[in-house]
Amino acid sequence: MSWLDDADDLEDDFEDYDESSVRSRPNPKANRPRTKRRPAHEDAQIGRVLGVDRGRYSVLLDEDGDDERTITAARARELRRTPIVTGDRARVVGDTTGEQGTLGRIVGIVDRTSLLRRSADDTDQVERVIVANADQMLIVVAAADPEPRERLVDRYLVAALDAGIRPLLVVTKTDLADPSSFLGHFDGLDLEVFTSARDVMPTERIGAALVGHSTVFVGHSGVGKSTLVNALVPTAGRATGHVNQVTGRGRHTSSSTVSLRYRSALGSGWVIDTPGVRSFGLGHVDPANILAAFTELAAIAENCPRGCTHLADAPDCALIEAADAGELGETGRARLDSLQRLLQTFADKPEPHGTGR
Ligand code: GDP
Ligand code: ZN
């Protein structure tokens, strides 16, 4: 069982919590009579969901405005079945002052630009929503301790590309091992790569890539992700060091997904730290989304037979024919290899799912 399952359970416990039982201070804006306009909620304010803790959402209102504040909110009963996650834009009504002891009410979610999900495993059709509206994924792997596994990175890449999220890669602990041969596996990808060593963290370079984006950080525990987050966001206070090997949980501060603001002279961005996501099940992934990330190959693949897998044994695959005819060049060849490896990641699935394959 993962922390995510736990979080869901906790949320369930709070589902029927009635926010009206919480004493709230009078708020001149909120105190307008609660008439029949409930479904429309025209006066809702839109805020950024920073994190969720036991059915309570931290929502940032008036982001970068004069009245920026973080409020606590509960979700309205009608949203009981709607997952609301870090990064969501929530419509909030009720007491939105953010004063201590007050509670707003989330009455809706703005359409998401992206949604990072996973299945519990490849055959589990129950989706776990992890992060909404991220446009980048920073994959953190260690050059050693723990040993980097390219297949795990492939799975992160597939999850990112499927969600339309741009992947970035950081290799930490390069003081312990040379990452070159590991990195060679990703030559064919549009992947910005950073290397980091103890005492030589490229925080400025990584920071520059964060400005103007919402970047979800993922990585196996122990790779140095919290160390990196703390270096980028000094106020983050993410717990580092030993992580419980049995549960994969760190201490409390890093047991839930949170949004943290990165700031530098260049501007600001959002870091979304996800603890303990050890893998992404790929049950929901659509191969077409992976191919689409390889724009120039996708154009060639339009000449493939219907339902072509583009894998090495695919009959009449236009990509393989182009490669065999020497039309792809060396880079194109490497990119086809990468594409095929990513497609293979879920061609290996025990139970194929969906259509279009
Ligand atoms: P997380 O589980 O991914 O959040 O990893 P942590 O940030 O807690 O780091 C795990 C361990 O690796 C800690 O003992 C860190 O001090 C150590 N660590 C982090 N980055 C580096 C690095 O670049 N080099 C070395 N040698 N150790 C590191
Ligand atoms: Zn093909």
Side-chain angles (χ1 to χ4, degrees):
M1 195 185 238
S2 74
W3 63 274
L4 269 168
D5 303 316
D6 290 347
D8 284 353
D9 290 344
L10 282 172
E11 250 186 64
D12 288 344
D13 291 340
F14 279 75
E15 239 169 27
D16 293 324
Y17 194 94
D18 184 352
E19 62 270 18
S20 65
S21 65
V22 170
R23 203 150 31 95
S24 57
R25 295 202 194 169
N27 169 5
K29 283 183 208 155
N31 252 2
R32 290 184 217 126
R34 254 161 74 153
T35 50
K36 303 279 180 261
R37 55 203 177 94
R38 227 179 166 228
H41 296 299
E42 286 143 1
D43 55 349
Q45 297 186 53
I46 294 174
R48 177 189 294 273
V49 176
L50 299 178
V52 187
D53 186 19
R54 283 166 291 171
R56 288 287 178 271
Y57 300 85
S58 305
V59 182
L60 184 69
L61 291 178
D62 197 25
E63 187 171 333
D64 294 323
D66 291 340
D67 201 15
E68 181 178 289
R69 63 204 183 277
T70 303
I71 69 158
T72 303
R75 72 179 148 183
R77 282 166 181 278
E78 60 263 34
L79 293 183
R80 184 180 315 196
R81 299 188 177 282
T82 309
I84 302 174
V85 295
T86 304
D88 263 322
R89 301 298 152 80
R91 293 183 210 281
V92 200
V93 299
D95 191 328
T96 56
T97 58
E99 284 169 35
Q100 197 160 19
T102 63
L103 194 62
R105 194 169 80 250
I106 298 178
V107 293
I109 291 296
V110 177
D111 284 349
R112 293 156 172 158
T113 56
S114 77
L115 191 54
L116 188 61
R117 321 166 280 183
R118 66 176 187 108
S119 324
D121 59 54
D122 291 338
T123 52
D124 182 359
Q125 300 297 299
V126 180
E127 284 181 3
R128 312 279 170 194
V129 177
I130 301 173
V131 174
N133 300 320
D135 63 342
Q136 298 191 130
M137 176 192 285
L138 186 110
I139 302 164
V140 187
V141 282
D145 186 30
E147 219 49 46
R149 290 189 293 136
E150 60 186 87
R151 266 184 63 86
L152 178 64
V153 175
D154 283 345
R155 293 174 76 92
Y156 287 139
L157 289 168
V158 165
L161 298 178
D162 181 59
I165 295 173
R166 174 181 180 235
L168 309 166
L169 182 67
V170 176
V171 186
T172 61
K173 309 197 190 186
T174 53
D175 51 305
L176 301 181
D178 178 357
S180 331
S181 72
F182 170 74
L183 284 173
H185 292 117
F186 307 103
D187 280 348
L189 297 171
D190 298 321
L191 189 62
E192 189 167 356
V193 177
F194 306 89
T195 55
S196 179
R198 190 184 279 300
D199 306 325
V200 206
M201 296 176 96
T203 43
E204 279 186 22
R205 284 185 51 229
I206 296 174
L210 301 179
V211 170
H213 297 281
S214 281
T215 308
V216 53
F217 283 39
V218 297
H220 194 279
S221 78
V223 295
K225 178 162 63 67
S226 304
T227 303
L228 184 63
V229 168
N230 288 338
L232 290 163
V233 185
T235 55
R238 302 302 267 174
T240 60
H242 185 73
V243 171
N244 187 311
Q245 294 298 314
V246 178
T247 63
R249 279 172 175 235
R251 272 170 277 156
H252 179 72
T253 46
S254 61
S255 67
S256 72
T257 299
V258 293
S259 296
L260 304 159
R261 187 146 34 186
Y262 170 81
R263 286 188 196 281
S264 76
L266 295 175
S268 70
W270 288 93
V271 168
I272 299 141
D273 192 16
T274 59
V277 180
R278 276 158 291 167
S279 71
F280 289 99
L282 301 175
H284 58 265
V285 168
D286 182 349
N289 292 341
I290 311 306
L291 177 60
F294 293 76
T295 322
E296 80 289 5
L297 297 182
I300 298 171
E302 282 177 9
N303 301 317
C304 286
R306 238 184 98 93
C308 182
T309 62
H310 320 301
L311 296 175
D313 59 358
D316 302 323
C317 175
L319 290 170
I320 295 169
E321 283 173 0
D324 289 347
E327 288 162 14
L328 292 186
E330 208 173 303
T331 315
R333 181 73 245 187
R335 282 173 62 71
L336 178 57
D337 287 346
S338 295
L339 170 66
Q340 286 179 326
R341 216 183 59 213
L342 295 185
L343 292 173
Q344 190 69 49
T345 300
F346 53 98
D348 291 343
K349 283 190 308 188
E351 287 282 299
H353 139 71
T355 50
R357 296 184 73 249

